[in-house]
Amino acid sequence: MMIEGGQDEVPPLPSGERVAAKRPGEGASPTHPTKRKAGATARARELRFDETKAEYRLWGELQGRHLNGYKFVRQVPLGPFFADFLCREKSLIVEIDGSQHAESLTDESRTTWLNRNGYSVLRFWNQEVLAERRAVLDTILAVLEGQIHSPSPGLRFAPATLSPTGRGEGER
């Protein structure tokens, strides 16, 4: 049955109640890391508004393709997490960490999840960004251009274990 405006009407249930029609895939939990969860966009906006001084300074260097033409976005929801900065073209996440992240088991499992979903993760301390911004930018650029591709101690750089195409490393 069609109603004015061209939308399908859901027939009433025997009790007279109506059920909202669902689009394909609607109502299911996100299966892909880029599927948005309810409230994720609002939370990302809050994180962008409440940025740290280090995030503010680094964003000034990354926005508008200032780093050799690479495009970055910030506070991007990915699965259950938010990436501080993301270069989608290279599937690189740059995280800026405060002291609360020292020896964090949560960060380790988060990095593992992101790696398995095709993202490489590069981490810096707030103080590194504030005191040595040029070195931080050089390191980010080296990863983007493939000059750094091996994991580093302490998960400072963790390359993806799954390519964005869904194939593991070494599979072609």
Side-chain angles (χ1 to χ4, degrees):
M1 171 190 297
M2 296 293 284
I3 58 174
E4 269 186 77
Q7 295 190 357
D8 291 290
E9 182 180 10
V10 178
L13 295 174
S15 65
E17 296 177 25
R18 294 191 181 273
V19 178
K22 291 189 176 183
R23 294 182 182 101
E26 194 174 84
S29 63
T31 56
H32 192 273
T34 59
K35 295 283 185 198
R36 296 284 166 93
K37 290 174 131 182
T41 301
R43 178 68 182 135
R45 284 185 186 126
E46 287 175 24
L47 290 169
R48 286 191 289 265
F49 182 75
D50 292 333
E51 64 192 350
T52 66
K53 187 175 184 179
E55 289 171 341
Y56 174 80
R57 295 280 165 85
L58 187 58
W59 180 239
E61 302 285 350
L62 296 177
Q63 70 181 342
R65 298 182 185 264
H66 290 181
L67 188 64
N68 280 25
Y70 290 102
K71 180 180 172 121
F72 280 86
V73 290
R74 62 185 177 140
Q75 300 302 345
V76 178
L78 294 173
F81 307 108
F82 290 85
D84 287 344
F85 303 99
L86 170 64
C87 176
R88 288 186 176 116
E89 175 187 351
K90 296 292 186 171
S91 298
L92 175 65
I93 294 170
V94 177
E95 290 291 311
I96 309 301
D97 298 333
S99 59
Q100 74 274 18
H101 290 271
E103 306 296 321
S104 171
L105 295 176
T106 306
D107 281 353
E108 202 170 316
S109 62
R110 179 180 193 271
T111 297
T112 300
W113 188 92
L114 291 165
N115 288 163
R116 286 187 180 148
N117 282 280
Y119 296 96
S120 296
V121 180
L122 180 60
R123 295 181 176 281
F124 296 99
W125 296 110
N126 283 335
Q127 193 53 38
E128 287 177 297
V129 173
L130 295 173
E132 306 166 32
R133 195 163 43 251
R134 178 54 35 206
V136 166
L137 292 168
D138 288 344
T139 303
I140 294 169
L141 193 55
V143 171
L144 289 167
E145 295 184 348
Q147 296 167 356
I148 298 174
H149 46 78
S150 299
S152 69
L155 292 179
R156 302 303 284 161
F157 175 62
T161 54
L162 180 69
S163 73
T165 62
R167 290 186 283 211
E169 286 186 18
E171 296 178 35
R172 298 285 181 242

mmCIF file with all atom_site columns, all heavy atoms in Angstrom, residues 7 10 12 14 21 23-25 28-29 42-44 58 61 63 74 78 93 97 104 112 121-123 139 159 164 168:
data_model
loop_
_atom_site.group_PDB
_atom_site.id
_atom_site.type_symbol
_atom_site.label_atom_id
_atom_site.label_alt_id
_atom_site.label_comp_id
_atom_site.label_asym_id
_atom_site.label_entity_id
_atom_site.label_seq_id
_atom_site.pdbx_PDB_ins_code
_atom_site.Cartn_x
_atom_site.Cartn_y
_atom_site.Cartn_z
_atom_site.occupancy
_atom_site.B_iso_or_equiv
_atom_site.pdbx_formal_charge
_atom_site.auth_seq_id
_atom_site.auth_comp_id
_atom_site.auth_asym_id
_atom_site.auth_atom_id
_atom_site.pdbx_PDB_model_num
ATOM 1   N N   . GLN A 1 7   ? 5.918  6.795  0.208  1.00 0.00 ? 7   GLN A N   1
ATOM 2   C CA  . GLN A 1 7   ? 6.575  5.865  1.112  1.00 0.00 ? 7   GLN A CA  1
ATOM 3   C C   . GLN A 1 7   ? 5.655  4.697  1.413  1.00 0.00 ? 7   GLN A C   1
ATOM 4   O O   . GLN A 1 7   ? 4.444  4.838  1.466  1.00 0.00 ? 7   GLN A O   1
ATOM 5   C CB  . GLN A 1 7   ? 6.972  6.562  2.407  1.00 0.00 ? 7   GLN A CB  1
ATOM 6   C CG  . GLN A 1 7   ? 8.016  7.621  2.168  1.00 0.00 ? 7   GLN A CG  1
ATOM 7   C CD  . GLN A 1 7   ? 8.572  8.144  3.467  1.00 0.00 ? 7   GLN A CD  1
ATOM 8   O OE1 . GLN A 1 7   ? 8.144  7.762  4.537  1.00 0.00 ? 7   GLN A OE1 1
ATOM 9   N NE2 . GLN A 1 7   ? 9.541  9.015  3.365  1.00 0.00 ? 7   GLN A NE2 1
ATOM 10  N N   . VAL A 1 10  ? 3.501  0.580  6.619  1.00 0.00 ? 10  VAL A N   1
ATOM 11  C CA  . VAL A 1 10  ? 3.605  -0.719 7.266  1.00 0.00 ? 10  VAL A CA  1
ATOM 12  C C   . VAL A 1 10  ? 2.217  -1.089 7.754  1.00 0.00 ? 10  VAL A C   1
ATOM 13  O O   . VAL A 1 10  ? 1.564  -0.313 8.446  1.00 0.00 ? 10  VAL A O   1
ATOM 14  C CB  . VAL A 1 10  ? 4.598  -0.647 8.461  1.00 0.00 ? 10  VAL A CB  1
ATOM 15  C CG1 . VAL A 1 10  ? 4.675  -1.975 9.160  1.00 0.00 ? 10  VAL A CG1 1
ATOM 16  C CG2 . VAL A 1 10  ? 5.951  -0.203 7.961  1.00 0.00 ? 10  VAL A CG2 1
ATOM 17  N N   . PRO A 1 12  ? -0.882 -2.475 9.876  1.00 0.00 ? 12  PRO A N   1
ATOM 18  C CA  . PRO A 1 12  ? -1.005 -2.539 11.331 1.00 0.00 ? 12  PRO A CA  1
ATOM 19  C C   . PRO A 1 12  ? -0.897 -3.971 11.838 1.00 0.00 ? 12  PRO A C   1
ATOM 20  O O   . PRO A 1 12  ? -1.242 -4.920 11.136 1.00 0.00 ? 12  PRO A O   1
ATOM 21  C CB  . PRO A 1 12  ? -2.401 -1.968 11.598 1.00 0.00 ? 12  PRO A CB  1
ATOM 22  C CG  . PRO A 1 12  ? -3.137 -2.131 10.326 1.00 0.00 ? 12  PRO A CG  1
ATOM 23  C CD  . PRO A 1 12  ? -2.116 -2.101 9.232  1.00 0.00 ? 12  PRO A CD  1
ATOM 24  N N   . PRO A 1 14  ? -2.027 -6.991 14.464 1.00 0.00 ? 14  PRO A N   1
ATOM 25  C CA  . PRO A 1 14  ? -3.383 -7.343 14.889 1.00 0.00 ? 14  PRO A CA  1
ATOM 26  C C   . PRO A 1 14  ? -3.886 -6.492 16.057 1.00 0.00 ? 14  PRO A C   1
ATOM 27  O O   . PRO A 1 14  ? -5.075 -6.225 16.166 1.00 0.00 ? 14  PRO A O   1
ATOM 28  C CB  . PRO A 1 14  ? -3.255 -8.814 15.297 1.00 0.00 ? 14  PRO A CB  1
ATOM 29  C CG  . PRO A 1 14  ? -2.076 -9.321 14.545 1.00 0.00 ? 14  PRO A CG  1
ATOM 30  C CD  . PRO A 1 14  ? -1.158 -8.149 14.363 1.00 0.00 ? 14  PRO A CD  1
ATOM 31  N N   . ALA A 1 21  ? 9.249  0.644  9.673  1.00 0.00 ? 21  ALA A N   1
ATOM 32  C CA  . ALA A 1 21  ? 9.953  -0.124 8.646  1.00 0.00 ? 21  ALA A CA  1
ATOM 33  C C   . ALA A 1 21  ? 11.443 0.137  8.778  1.00 0.00 ? 21  ALA A C   1
ATOM 34  O O   . ALA A 1 21  ? 11.867 1.260  9.022  1.00 0.00 ? 21  ALA A O   1
ATOM 35  C CB  . ALA A 1 21  ? 9.460  0.295  7.264  1.00 0.00 ? 21  ALA A CB  1
ATOM 36  N N   . ARG A 1 23  ? 15.354 -0.124 7.127  1.00 0.00 ? 23  ARG A N   1
ATOM 37  C CA  . ARG A 1 23  ? 16.107 -0.212 5.887  1.00 0.00 ? 23  ARG A CA  1
ATOM 38  C C   . ARG A 1 23  ? 17.045 -1.413 5.996  1.00 0.00 ? 23  ARG A C   1
ATOM 39  O O   . ARG A 1 23  ? 17.373 -1.833 7.091  1.00 0.00 ? 23  ARG A O   1
ATOM 40  C CB  . ARG A 1 23  ? 16.925 1.062  5.682  1.00 0.00 ? 23  ARG A CB  1
ATOM 41  C CG  . ARG A 1 23  ? 16.074 2.279  5.453  1.00 0.00 ? 23  ARG A CG  1
ATOM 42  C CD  . ARG A 1 23  ? 16.955 3.514  5.206  1.00 0.00 ? 23  ARG A CD  1
ATOM 43  N NE  . ARG A 1 23  ? 16.135 4.664  5.040  1.00 0.00 ? 23  ARG A NE  1
ATOM 44  C CZ  . ARG A 1 23  ? 15.926 5.565  5.999  1.00 0.00 ? 23  ARG A CZ  1
ATOM 45  N NH1 . ARG A 1 23  ? 16.485 5.443  7.165  1.00 0.00 ? 23  ARG A NH1 1
ATOM 46  N NH2 . ARG A 1 23  ? 15.148 6.596  5.778  1.00 0.00 ? 23  ARG A NH2 1
ATOM 47  N N   . PRO A 1 24  ? 17.528 -1.931 4.887  1.00 0.00 ? 24  PRO A N   1
ATOM 48  C CA  . PRO A 1 24  ? 18.458 -3.054 4.948  1.00 0.00 ? 24  PRO A CA  1
ATOM 49  C C   . PRO A 1 24  ? 19.668 -2.684 5.809  1.00 0.00 ? 24  PRO A C   1
ATOM 50  O O   . PRO A 1 24  ? 20.264 -1.629 5.653  1.00 0.00 ? 24  PRO A O   1
ATOM 51  C CB  . PRO A 1 24  ? 18.875 -3.268 3.484  1.00 0.00 ? 24  PRO A CB  1
ATOM 52  C CG  . PRO A 1 24  ? 17.749 -2.683 2.693  1.00 0.00 ? 24  PRO A CG  1
ATOM 53  C CD  . PRO A 1 24  ? 17.193 -1.561 3.535  1.00 0.00 ? 24  PRO A CD  1
ATOM 54  N N   . GLY A 1 25  ? 20.007 -3.566 6.744  1.00 0.00 ? 25  GLY A N   1
ATOM 55  C CA  . GLY A 1 25  ? 21.163 -3.341 7.610  1.00 0.00 ? 25  GLY A CA  1
ATOM 56  C C   . GLY A 1 25  ? 20.873 -2.478 8.810  1.00 0.00 ? 25  GLY A C   1
ATOM 57  O O   . GLY A 1 25  ? 21.702 -2.351 9.698  1.00 0.00 ? 25  GLY A O   1
ATOM 58  N N   . ALA A 1 28  ? 21.134 -3.418 13.051 1.00 0.00 ? 28  ALA A N   1
ATOM 59  C CA  . ALA A 1 28  ? 22.209 -4.356 13.360 1.00 0.00 ? 28  ALA A CA  1
ATOM 60  C C   . ALA A 1 28  ? 23.402 -3.591 13.895 1.00 0.00 ? 28  ALA A C   1
ATOM 61  O O   . ALA A 1 28  ? 23.590 -2.421 13.601 1.00 0.00 ? 28  ALA A O   1
ATOM 62  C CB  . ALA A 1 28  ? 22.603 -5.108 12.087 1.00 0.00 ? 28  ALA A CB  1
ATOM 63  N N   . SER A 1 29  ? 24.196 -4.273 14.691 1.00 0.00 ? 29  SER A N   1
ATOM 64  C CA  . SER A 1 29  ? 25.391 -3.600 15.198 1.00 0.00 ? 29  SER A CA  1
ATOM 65  C C   . SER A 1 29  ? 26.374 -3.431 14.053 1.00 0.00 ? 29  SER A C   1
ATOM 66  O O   . SER A 1 29  ? 26.419 -4.245 13.136 1.00 0.00 ? 29  SER A O   1
ATOM 67  C CB  . SER A 1 29  ? 26.024 -4.406 16.328 1.00 0.00 ? 29  SER A CB  1
ATOM 68  O OG  . SER A 1 29  ? 26.459 -5.651 15.835 1.00 0.00 ? 29  SER A OG  1
ATOM 69  N N   . ALA A 1 42  ? 28.144 12.950 17.619 1.00 0.00 ? 42  ALA A N   1
ATOM 70  C CA  . ALA A 1 42  ? 28.062 13.968 18.683 1.00 0.00 ? 42  ALA A CA  1
ATOM 71  C C   . ALA A 1 42  ? 29.277 13.885 19.590 1.00 0.00 ? 42  ALA A C   1
ATOM 72  O O   . ALA A 1 42  ? 29.853 14.908 19.979 1.00 0.00 ? 42  ALA A O   1
ATOM 73  C CB  . ALA A 1 42  ? 26.775 13.788 19.488 1.00 0.00 ? 42  ALA A CB  1
ATOM 74  N N   . ARG A 1 43  ? 29.701 12.656 19.928 1.00 0.00 ? 43  ARG A N   1
ATOM 75  C CA  . ARG A 1 43  ? 30.882 12.494 20.790 1.00 0.00 ? 43  ARG A CA  1
ATOM 76  C C   . ARG A 1 43  ? 32.135 12.991 20.073 1.00 0.00 ? 43  ARG A C   1
ATOM 77  O O   . ARG A 1 43  ? 32.990 13.633 20.683 1.00 0.00 ? 43  ARG A O   1
ATOM 78  C CB  . ARG A 1 43  ? 31.032 11.025 21.194 1.00 0.00 ? 43  ARG A CB  1
ATOM 79  C CG  . ARG A 1 43  ? 32.238 10.742 22.038 1.00 0.00 ? 43  ARG A CG  1
ATOM 80  C CD  . ARG A 1 43  ? 32.140 11.379 23.417 1.00 0.00 ? 43  ARG A CD  1
ATOM 81  N NE  . ARG A 1 43  ? 33.352 11.097 24.164 1.00 0.00 ? 43  ARG A NE  1
ATOM 82  C CZ  . ARG A 1 43  ? 34.018 11.985 24.869 1.00 0.00 ? 43  ARG A CZ  1
ATOM 83  N NH1 . ARG A 1 43  ? 33.557 13.219 24.981 1.00 0.00 ? 43  ARG A NH1 1
ATOM 84  N NH2 . ARG A 1 43  ? 35.125 11.679 25.496 1.00 0.00 ? 43  ARG A NH2 1
ATOM 85  N N   . ALA A 1 44  ? 32.250 12.734 18.777 1.00 0.00 ? 44  ALA A N   1
ATOM 86  C CA  . ALA A 1 44  ? 33.403 13.211 18.009 1.00 0.00 ? 44  ALA A CA  1
ATOM 87  C C   . ALA A 1 44  ? 33.456 14.734 18.017 1.00 0.00 ? 44  ALA A C   1
ATOM 88  O O   . ALA A 1 44  ? 34.528 15.327 18.166 1.00 0.00 ? 44  ALA A O   1
ATOM 89  C CB  . ALA A 1 44  ? 33.347 12.689 16.574 1.00 0.00 ? 44  ALA A CB  1
ATOM 90  N N   . LEU A 1 58  ? 49.102 20.227 16.620 1.00 0.00 ? 58  LEU A N   1
ATOM 91  C CA  . LEU A 1 58  ? 49.347 19.288 15.526 1.00 0.00 ? 58  LEU A CA  1
ATOM 92  C C   . LEU A 1 58  ? 48.286 19.452 14.432 1.00 0.00 ? 58  LEU A C   1
ATOM 93  O O   . LEU A 1 58  ? 48.606 19.407 13.245 1.00 0.00 ? 58  LEU A O   1
ATOM 94  C CB  . LEU A 1 58  ? 49.378 17.843 16.033 1.00 0.00 ? 58  LEU A CB  1
ATOM 95  C CG  . LEU A 1 58  ? 49.800 16.810 14.995 1.00 0.00 ? 58  LEU A CG  1
ATOM 96  C CD1 . LEU A 1 58  ? 51.188 17.126 14.423 1.00 0.00 ? 58  LEU A CD1 1
ATOM 97  C CD2 . LEU A 1 58  ? 49.784 15.411 15.585 1.00 0.00 ? 58  LEU A CD2 1
ATOM 98  N N   . GLU A 1 61  ? 49.027 21.903 11.813 1.00 0.00 ? 61  GLU A N   1
ATOM 99  C CA  . GLU A 1 61  ? 50.004 21.475 10.801 1.00 0.00 ? 61  GLU A CA  1
ATOM 100 C C   . GLU A 1 61  ? 49.422 20.457 9.814  1.00 0.00 ? 61  GLU A C   1
ATOM 101 O O   . GLU A 1 61  ? 49.892 20.341 8.697  1.00 0.00 ? 61  GLU A O   1
ATOM 102 C CB  . GLU A 1 61  ? 51.219 20.842 11.493 1.00 0.00 ? 61  GLU A CB  1
ATOM 103 C CG  . GLU A 1 61  ? 51.921 21.746 12.478 1.00 0.00 ? 61  GLU A CG  1
ATOM 104 C CD  . GLU A 1 61  ? 52.756 22.818 11.816 1.00 0.00 ? 61  GLU A CD  1
ATOM 105 O OE1 . GLU A 1 61  ? 52.958 22.772 10.582 1.00 0.00 ? 61  GLU A OE1 1
ATOM 106 O OE2 . GLU A 1 61  ? 53.239 23.711 12.538 1.00 0.00 ? 61  GLU A OE2 1
ATOM 107 N N   . GLN A 1 63  ? 45.886 19.992 9.064  1.00 0.00 ? 63  GLN A N   1
ATOM 108 C CA  . GLN A 1 63  ? 44.659 20.354 8.338  1.00 0.00 ? 63  GLN A CA  1
ATOM 109 C C   . GLN A 1 63  ? 44.976 21.012 7.001  1.00 0.00 ? 63  GLN A C   1
ATOM 110 O O   . GLN A 1 63  ? 46.055 21.551 6.801  1.00 0.00 ? 63  GLN A O   1
ATOM 111 C CB  . GLN A 1 63  ? 43.787 21.267 9.195  1.00 0.00 ? 63  GLN A CB  1
ATOM 112 C CG  . GLN A 1 63  ? 44.339 22.647 9.405  1.00 0.00 ? 63  GLN A CG  1
ATOM 113 C CD  . GLN A 1 63  ? 43.438 23.487 10.280 1.00 0.00 ? 63  GLN A CD  1
ATOM 114 O OE1 . GLN A 1 63  ? 42.269 23.181 10.476 1.00 0.00 ? 63  GLN A OE1 1
ATOM 115 N NE2 . GLN A 1 63  ? 43.986 24.555 10.822 1.00 0.00 ? 63  GLN A NE2 1
ATOM 116 N N   . ARG A 1 74  ? 40.055 14.610 11.917 1.00 0.00 ? 74  ARG A N   1
ATOM 117 C CA  . ARG A 1 74  ? 40.342 14.404 13.340 1.00 0.00 ? 74  ARG A CA  1
ATOM 118 C C   . ARG A 1 74  ? 39.116 13.902 14.090 1.00 0.00 ? 74  ARG A C   1
ATOM 119 O O   . ARG A 1 74  ? 37.986 14.129 13.689 1.00 0.00 ? 74  ARG A O   1
ATOM 120 C CB  . ARG A 1 74  ? 40.873 15.679 13.979 1.00 0.00 ? 74  ARG A CB  1
ATOM 121 C CG  . ARG A 1 74  ? 39.914 16.831 13.949 1.00 0.00 ? 74  ARG A CG  1
ATOM 122 C CD  . ARG A 1 74  ? 40.581 18.085 14.494 1.00 0.00 ? 74  ARG A CD  1
ATOM 123 N NE  . ARG A 1 74  ? 39.656 19.187 14.371 1.00 0.00 ? 74  ARG A NE  1
ATOM 124 C CZ  . ARG A 1 74  ? 39.493 20.112 15.282 1.00 0.00 ? 74  ARG A CZ  1
ATOM 125 N NH1 . ARG A 1 74  ? 40.198 20.086 16.373 1.00 0.00 ? 74  ARG A NH1 1
ATOM 126 N NH2 . ARG A 1 74  ? 38.626 21.078 15.095 1.00 0.00 ? 74  ARG A NH2 1
ATOM 127 N N   . LEU A 1 78  ? 35.794 5.060  14.793 1.00 0.00 ? 78  LEU A N   1
ATOM 128 C CA  . LEU A 1 78  ? 36.136 3.806  14.112 1.00 0.00 ? 78  LEU A CA  1
ATOM 129 C C   . LEU A 1 78  ? 35.755 2.667  15.048 1.00 0.00 ? 78  LEU A C   1
ATOM 130 O O   . LEU A 1 78  ? 36.413 2.469  16.073 1.00 0.00 ? 78  LEU A O   1
ATOM 131 C CB  . LEU A 1 78  ? 37.627 3.724  13.796 1.00 0.00 ? 78  LEU A CB  1
ATOM 132 C CG  . LEU A 1 78  ? 38.173 4.722  12.784 1.00 0.00 ? 78  LEU A CG  1
ATOM 133 C CD1 . LEU A 1 78  ? 39.686 4.643  12.710 1.00 0.00 ? 78  LEU A CD1 1
ATOM 134 C CD2 . LEU A 1 78  ? 37.559 4.481  11.422 1.00 0.00 ? 78  LEU A CD2 1
ATOM 135 N N   . ILE A 1 93  ? 46.593 6.178  11.485 1.00 0.00 ? 93  ILE A N   1
ATOM 136 C CA  . ILE A 1 93  ? 46.039 6.892  12.632 1.00 0.00 ? 93  ILE A CA  1
ATOM 137 C C   . ILE A 1 93  ? 47.199 7.457  13.428 1.00 0.00 ? 93  ILE A C   1
ATOM 138 O O   . ILE A 1 93  ? 48.161 6.742  13.727 1.00 0.00 ? 93  ILE A O   1
ATOM 139 C CB  . ILE A 1 93  ? 45.207 5.937  13.516 1.00 0.00 ? 93  ILE A CB  1
ATOM 140 C CG1 . ILE A 1 93  ? 43.977 5.474  12.746 1.00 0.00 ? 93  ILE A CG1 1
ATOM 141 C CG2 . ILE A 1 93  ? 44.836 6.603  14.835 1.00 0.00 ? 93  ILE A CG2 1
ATOM 142 C CD1 . ILE A 1 93  ? 43.218 4.361  13.426 1.00 0.00 ? 93  ILE A CD1 1
ATOM 143 N N   . ASP A 1 97  ? 49.054 11.165 22.978 1.00 0.00 ? 97  ASP A N   1
ATOM 144 C CA  . ASP A 1 97  ? 48.756 10.614 24.294 1.00 0.00 ? 97  ASP A CA  1
ATOM 145 C C   . ASP A 1 97  ? 49.308 11.460 25.434 1.00 0.00 ? 97  ASP A C   1
ATOM 146 O O   . ASP A 1 97  ? 50.414 11.971 25.356 1.00 0.00 ? 97  ASP A O   1
ATOM 147 C CB  . ASP A 1 97  ? 49.346 9.203  24.422 1.00 0.00 ? 97  ASP A CB  1
ATOM 148 C CG  . ASP A 1 97  ? 48.746 8.224  23.422 1.00 0.00 ? 97  ASP A CG  1
ATOM 149 O OD1 . ASP A 1 97  ? 47.595 8.441  23.010 1.00 0.00 ? 97  ASP A OD1 1
ATOM 150 O OD2 . ASP A 1 97  ? 49.424 7.247  23.076 1.00 0.00 ? 97  ASP A OD2 1
ATOM 151 N N   . SER A 1 104 ? 49.419 1.579  29.295 1.00 0.00 ? 104 SER A N   1
ATOM 152 C CA  . SER A 1 104 ? 47.986 1.301  29.234 1.00 0.00 ? 104 SER A CA  1
ATOM 153 C C   . SER A 1 104 ? 47.702 0.011  28.470 1.00 0.00 ? 104 SER A C   1
ATOM 154 O O   . SER A 1 104 ? 48.044 -0.115 27.295 1.00 0.00 ? 104 SER A O   1
ATOM 155 C CB  . SER A 1 104 ? 47.260 2.466  28.557 1.00 0.00 ? 104 SER A CB  1
ATOM 156 O OG  . SER A 1 104 ? 45.926 2.124  28.306 1.00 0.00 ? 104 SER A OG  1
ATOM 157 N N   . THR A 1 112 ? 45.640 -3.189 18.692 1.00 0.00 ? 112 THR A N   1
ATOM 158 C CA  . THR A 1 112 ? 45.453 -4.498 18.053 1.00 0.00 ? 112 THR A CA  1
ATOM 159 C C   . THR A 1 112 ? 44.182 -4.514 17.221 1.00 0.00 ? 112 THR A C   1
ATOM 160 O O   . THR A 1 112 ? 44.177 -4.971 16.071 1.00 0.00 ? 112 THR A O   1
ATOM 161 C CB  . THR A 1 112 ? 45.419 -5.610 19.125 1.00 0.00 ? 112 THR A CB  1
ATOM 162 O OG1 . THR A 1 112 ? 46.658 -5.597 19.836 1.00 0.00 ? 112 THR A OG1 1
ATOM 163 C CG2 . THR A 1 112 ? 45.199 -6.977 18.504 1.00 0.00 ? 112 THR A CG2 1
ATOM 164 N N   . VAL A 1 121 ? 48.943 2.483  13.373 1.00 0.00 ? 121 VAL A N   1
ATOM 165 C CA  . VAL A 1 121 ? 48.809 3.445  14.468 1.00 0.00 ? 121 VAL A CA  1
ATOM 166 C C   . VAL A 1 121 ? 50.189 3.984  14.831 1.00 0.00 ? 121 VAL A C   1
ATOM 167 O O   . VAL A 1 121 ? 51.118 3.215  15.074 1.00 0.00 ? 121 VAL A O   1
ATOM 168 C CB  . VAL A 1 121 ? 48.147 2.794  15.704 1.00 0.00 ? 121 VAL A CB  1
ATOM 169 C CG1 . VAL A 1 121 ? 48.020 3.804  16.834 1.00 0.00 ? 121 VAL A CG1 1
ATOM 170 C CG2 . VAL A 1 121 ? 46.783 2.216  15.348 1.00 0.00 ? 121 VAL A CG2 1
ATOM 171 N N   . LEU A 1 122 ? 50.292 5.295  14.873 1.00 0.00 ? 122 LEU A N   1
ATOM 172 C CA  . LEU A 1 122 ? 51.517 5.989  15.245 1.00 0.00 ? 122 LEU A CA  1
ATOM 173 C C   . LEU A 1 122 ? 51.198 6.864  16.446 1.00 0.00 ? 122 LEU A C   1
ATOM 174 O O   . LEU A 1 122 ? 50.265 7.668  16.400 1.00 0.00 ? 122 LEU A O   1
ATOM 175 C CB  . LEU A 1 122 ? 52.001 6.843  14.070 1.00 0.00 ? 122 LEU A CB  1
ATOM 176 C CG  . LEU A 1 122 ? 53.277 7.651  14.234 1.00 0.00 ? 122 LEU A CG  1
ATOM 177 C CD1 . LEU A 1 122 ? 54.468 6.747  14.549 1.00 0.00 ? 122 LEU A CD1 1
ATOM 178 C CD2 . LEU A 1 122 ? 53.542 8.457  12.974 1.00 0.00 ? 122 LEU A CD2 1
ATOM 179 N N   . ARG A 1 123 ? 51.962 6.688  17.538 1.00 0.00 ? 123 ARG A N   1
ATOM 180 C CA  . ARG A 1 123 ? 51.669 7.400  18.788 1.00 0.00 ? 123 ARG A CA  1
ATOM 181 C C   . ARG A 1 123 ? 52.789 8.373  19.156 1.00 0.00 ? 123 ARG A C   1
ATOM 182 O O   . ARG A 1 123 ? 53.962 8.076  18.973 1.00 0.00 ? 123 ARG A O   1
ATOM 183 C CB  . ARG A 1 123 ? 51.519 6.416  19.947 1.00 0.00 ? 123 ARG A CB  1
ATOM 184 C CG  . ARG A 1 123 ? 50.353 5.508  19.819 1.00 0.00 ? 123 ARG A CG  1
ATOM 185 C CD  . ARG A 1 123 ? 50.257 4.562  21.027 1.00 0.00 ? 123 ARG A CD  1
ATOM 186 N NE  . ARG A 1 123 ? 49.062 3.758  20.921 1.00 0.00 ? 123 ARG A NE  1
ATOM 187 C CZ  . ARG A 1 123 ? 47.854 4.178  21.233 1.00 0.00 ? 123 ARG A CZ  1
ATOM 188 N NH1 . ARG A 1 123 ? 47.676 5.384  21.704 1.00 0.00 ? 123 ARG A NH1 1
ATOM 189 N NH2 . ARG A 1 123 ? 46.811 3.397  21.076 1.00 0.00 ? 123 ARG A NH2 1
ATOM 190 N N   . THR A 1 139 ? 58.392 12.400 11.245 1.00 0.00 ? 139 THR A N   1
ATOM 191 C CA  . THR A 1 139 ? 58.105 10.985 11.493 1.00 0.00 ? 139 THR A CA  1
ATOM 192 C C   . THR A 1 139 ? 56.796 10.576 10.834 1.00 0.00 ? 139 THR A C   1
ATOM 193 O O   . THR A 1 139 ? 56.712 9.519  10.200 1.00 0.00 ? 139 THR A O   1
ATOM 194 C CB  . THR A 1 139 ? 58.060 10.699 13.009 1.00 0.00 ? 139 THR A CB  1
ATOM 195 O OG1 . THR A 1 139 ? 59.308 11.096 13.589 1.00 0.00 ? 139 THR A OG1 1
ATOM 196 C CG2 . THR A 1 139 ? 57.811 9.227  13.291 1.00 0.00 ? 139 THR A CG2 1
ATOM 197 N N   . PRO A 1 159 ? 52.162 -1.115 12.567 1.00 0.00 ? 159 PRO A N   1
ATOM 198 C CA  . PRO A 1 159 ? 51.577 -1.191 11.226 1.00 0.00 ? 159 PRO A CA  1
ATOM 199 C C   . PRO A 1 159 ? 50.361 -2.102 11.201 1.00 0.00 ? 159 PRO A C   1
ATOM 200 O O   . PRO A 1 159 ? 50.209 -2.990 12.036 1.00 0.00 ? 159 PRO A O   1
ATOM 201 C CB  . PRO A 1 159 ? 52.714 -1.761 10.379 1.00 0.00 ? 159 PRO A CB  1
ATOM 202 C CG  . PRO A 1 159 ? 53.663 -2.389 11.320 1.00 0.00 ? 159 PRO A CG  1
ATOM 203 C CD  . PRO A 1 159 ? 53.455 -1.756 12.664 1.00 0.00 ? 159 PRO A CD  1
ATOM 204 N N   . PRO A 1 164 ? 43.630 -2.501 3.910  1.00 0.00 ? 164 PRO A N   1
ATOM 205 C CA  . PRO A 1 164 ? 42.283 -1.945 3.769  1.00 0.00 ? 164 PRO A CA  1
ATOM 206 C C   . PRO A 1 164 ? 41.415 -2.746 2.786  1.00 0.00 ? 164 PRO A C   1
ATOM 207 O O   . PRO A 1 164 ? 40.208 -2.667 2.840  1.00 0.00 ? 164 PRO A O   1
ATOM 208 C CB  . PRO A 1 164 ? 42.517 -0.526 3.254  1.00 0.00 ? 164 PRO A CB  1
ATOM 209 C CG  . PRO A 1 164 ? 43.913 -0.203 3.638  1.00 0.00 ? 164 PRO A CG  1
ATOM 210 C CD  . PRO A 1 164 ? 44.652 -1.512 3.637  1.00 0.00 ? 164 PRO A CD  1
ATOM 211 N N   . GLY A 1 168 ? 45.369 -9.922 4.415  1.00 0.00 ? 168 GLY A N   1
ATOM 212 C CA  . GLY A 1 168 ? 46.452 -9.800 5.391  1.00 0.00 ? 168 GLY A CA  1
ATOM 213 C C   . GLY A 1 168 ? 47.751 -9.462 4.708  1.00 0.00 ? 168 GLY A C   1
ATOM 214 O O   . GLY A 1 168 ? 47.898 -9.611 3.497  1.00 0.00 ? 168 GLY A O   1
#
